[in-house]
Amino acid sequence: MVDNRFELMGGESSGGMGVVCKAIDLESGKPVAVKFLAPWDPHAGDGARVRPWTSTDLKRFHRECDIQRELSGQGVPGYVHSRLTGARPYLVTEYVDGLDLRALLTQRRPGRADAAAITVQLLRILGRVHSRGVIHRDVKPSNIMIAKDGRLFLVDFGISLPMDPQATRHTVGRTPGSLGFMAPEILQGERSPGPPADLYGAGCTIFLLFAARPVFEYGGNEFQVEYHHRLTPAPRLSTVIGDVSEAMDETVAGLLAKSPSERPTPEVAERPFLDMLPRPGSRGNPGEQYDPKRPFLEGTASAPSAPARGGPTRRPVVRRSPTSGPSRDALRSLCLGASEELRDAGPGDCARRLVDVLPVVRRRWTDADGDVLSALLLCAEAARAEGDWVSAGSRFRAVARQLRGVGPGSPSYGSQVRARLGAVESQLNEDRIPEEAPPDWCGIACEVLELGQDARPDLVALCREVGEELLACGSSTEVAELCERLAGSA
């Protein structure tokens, strides 16, 4: 029993930030869903997956309750009650008697009319959410519920954000989201994504609905999947299933565009799917459950929402290979200028211009290119200098991945060490130190010490600096001993 009002009925499920249980609201007699704040710890053992919540977790949960209250109804479960004090903060919402889309897809592959009905309902929900100034940030099949009467609901606003870039963020560390559905700009560290980020997740979901496969196959290597979503053009739906109208093919390709500005709005994106829907009053299967066509057959489907605030309507545009951007010589000149700025007085015009062209050169030449790696590392260091730890960490990790396996004899070894140290330092600016940060640093420190007199003084100094930050956060005696050895070798 919760607060002498909500009688828990079991059916517990958990996510990244909470545990959800079915309950009965004794005041109304209706079933409800009760979500308790219970952050998941990815580093914990099998016996204790939930960690104690922090003040940042509570602020984020408070924001989720406010957003749920604001959006309540029409594709978002209705708000019932919340309590943010005490040992177990909780949020109570309408209970959706149905299945999430991921579970439904494991049972059967929807026909094209069903897939179109799901698509249109989802896009209309997103249009309404965006029109209220909210970005969901985690649009994926497991966060889309289909009720027994065929209505769709978008759930779990735990990592959603207000659209206003000046609004307070309670997000730390790497930007949250789900592998295979995160927009390229989020993967690259964008802290204030706009509505197009949700449209990318919708595009991945729509592709899965029609093609019965993800946009990019997951082969056990999450970095490879992230790489493809950031830089590799998505396959055309027409090349996977055939017999697709040109308008539908263009729309799905537009939703999966790497550039946010090229993605269509929900109102535009739904148009090619409308002709696939049944007309109100058409003959259906009245007894069939989880039929997404039913709201259209009964004429109860919601109408499209007005465009999101600040979001002009535009037609779908298919991403093509970039035709503008700096030449090799211009990129190298920018890198040289940015390097001098970072060495002397901090990021300046060259560094800012380099950050602006970075997405273009990454698409054109990929992260494996030496000039792009130099630019990526400089942009990471510029973000670090400005305290943008999310962008810095994302870029440092990208460089470290590309240079994995490079040894001390390689000219790129110094860049690899700087990137690995930068990744550790970025992690330290979270509310708590990730368990992998001290061992990662210790491994780097041992490598640098083994070089002896051949170790570059700047790498020794940077390694010691990050180690001292670890010590200030209360790290182990091993870190202290290695810091002393680094000081002696300087």
Side-chain angles (χ1 to χ4, degrees):
M1 184 72 71
V2 179
D3 284 348
N4 294 317
R5 176 178 173 181
F6 303 105
E7 184 176 355
L8 300 180
M9 306 294 289
E12 180 179 300
S13 62
S14 60
M17 289 300 297
V19 173
V20 181
C21 301
K22 183 180 179 181
I24 295 294
D25 182 352
L26 298 182
E27 288 188 4
S28 67
K30 295 180 179 180
V32 293
V34 181
K35 179 177 181 178
F36 295 99
L37 176 59
W40 181 65
D41 186 350
H43 306 300
D46 291 337
R49 286 292 187 181
V50 174
R51 61 173 171 82
W53 50 264
T54 66
S55 60
T56 298
D57 296 327
L58 184 60
K59 290 173 183 175
R60 183 186 290 174
F61 193 63
H62 193 165
R63 182 184 63 209
E64 179 182 358
C65 294
D66 288 343
I67 287 175
Q68 193 77 44
R69 185 186 293 109
E70 166 71 17
L71 297 177
S72 180
Q74 295 184 24
V76 176
Y79 173 88
V80 176
H81 182 70
S82 62
R83 182 180 293 278
L84 298 170
T85 57
R88 297 191 77 190
Y90 66 88
L91 164 67
V92 185
T93 61
E94 168 191 4
Y95 178 76
V96 178
D97 188 9
L99 293 173
D100 67 61
L101 189 54
R102 182 177 63 178
L104 189 69
L105 290 174
T106 63
Q107 295 181 7
R108 61 182 173 89
R109 179 181 178 180
R112 290 201 177 185
D114 284 2
I118 292 170
T119 295
V120 173
Q121 287 199 61
L122 173 61
L123 291 170
R124 291 183 179 180
I125 293 169
L126 287 176
R128 178 174 175 269
V129 168
H130 295 163
S131 72
R132 300 292 187 92
V134 174
I135 313 298
H136 187 277
R137 289 206 304 171
D138 201 16
V139 177
K140 60 180 180 180
S142 59
N143 282 339
I144 299 166
M145 297 287 296
I146 181 165
K148 288 183 177 179
D149 63 6
R151 290 178 300 152
L152 234 65
F153 290 84
L154 184 61
V155 301
D156 195 353
F157 285 78
I159 64 171
S160 59
L161 286 176
M163 211 176 288
D164 180 4
Q166 302 303 315
T168 302
R169 264 69 176 139
H170 302 303
T171 300
V172 294
R174 188 179 181 187
T175 305
S178 297
L179 183 68
F181 297 89
M182 274 193 285
E185 61 269 27
I186 292 180
L187 289 170
Q188 292 180 12
E190 173 59 60
R191 294 180 298 172
S192 299
D198 284 348
L199 271 298
Y200 188 88
C204 293
T205 301
I206 294 165
F207 191 97
L208 179 63
L209 279 170
F210 282 91
R213 49 151 282 192
V215 177
F216 297 109
E217 299 284 0
Y218 176 61
N221 186 334
E222 66 178 65
F223 297 124
Q224 188 177 48
V225 174
E226 286 189 2
Y227 173 87
H228 287 312
H229 278 280
R230 283 190 294 108
L231 300 171
T232 305
R236 283 294 194 120
L237 190 59
S238 58
T239 66
V240 179
I241 61 173
D243 191 24
V244 174
S245 72
E246 182 179 355
M248 178 176 161
D249 199 33
E250 291 274 323
T251 295
V252 175
L255 290 169
L256 297 174
K258 301 303 183 205
S259 172
S261 64
E262 295 177 1
R263 295 175 207 144
T265 61
E267 308 79 56
V268 172
E270 73 167 48
R271 292 174 188 168
F273 302 94
L274 296 178
D275 288 341
M276 303 170 68
L277 300 177
R279 295 186 181 279
S282 301
R283 184 177 180 180
N285 298 313
E288 184 178 349
Q289 293 184 339
Y290 311 116
D291 180 2
K293 302 186 299 298
R294 186 170 165 184
F296 298 97
L297 289 165
E298 297 176 350
T300 58
S302 62
S305 297
R309 296 198 284 259
T313 298
R314 53 184 179 271
R315 71 176 184 85
V317 179
V318 181
R319 189 188 72 80
R320 294 177 173 84
S321 299
T323 57
S324 61
S327 64
R328 285 276 185 189
D329 289 342
L331 177 61
R332 290 166 182 165
S333 178
L334 276 179
C335 287
L336 180 61
S339 179
E340 292 173 350
E341 290 171 354
L342 290 168
R343 184 179 65 245
D344 296 338
D349 288 341
C350 287
R352 283 188 284 272
R353 286 163 56 199
L354 190 62
V355 171
D356 287 342
V357 302
L358 184 63
V360 176
V361 299
R362 292 180 79 177
R363 288 198 298 269
R364 177 182 291 172
W365 294 311
T366 80
D367 288 357
D369 182 270
D371 291 328
V372 174
L373 277 177
S374 296
L376 194 54
L377 186 55
L378 286 166
C379 288
E381 292 178 340
R384 174 172 59 188
E386 294 179 336
D388 182 357
W389 293 106
V390 173
S391 297
S394 174
R395 293 165 183 165
F396 279 130
R397 285 190 294 270
V399 175
R401 286 196 297 268
Q402 288 297 327
L403 297 179
R404 185 184 292 129
V406 168
S410 168
S412 300
Y413 181 70
S415 296
Q416 185 226 55
V417 172
R418 285 164 57 197
R420 290 161 64 198
L421 287 170
V424 172
E425 188 179 15
S426 298
Q427 290 178 309
L428 298 184
N429 286 272
E430 300 180 1
D431 275 3
R432 61 193 186 92
I433 305 174
E435 290 183 6
E436 67 267 21
D440 285 352
W441 179 86
C442 290
I444 300 167
C446 289
E447 286 182 23
V448 171
L449 286 167
E450 285 176 5
L451 295 175
Q453 297 298 317
D454 294 331
R456 281 171 35 183
D458 62 317
L459 294 182
V460 174
L462 179 59
C463 192
R464 182 184 173 192
E465 179 184 327
V466 176
E468 289 173 348
E469 288 186 48
L470 273 168
L471 284 177
C473 295
S475 268
S476 66
T477 54
E478 183 183 5
V479 173
E481 291 170 358
L482 287 171
C483 280
E484 289 182 9
R485 290 177 60 190
L486 288 166
S489 67

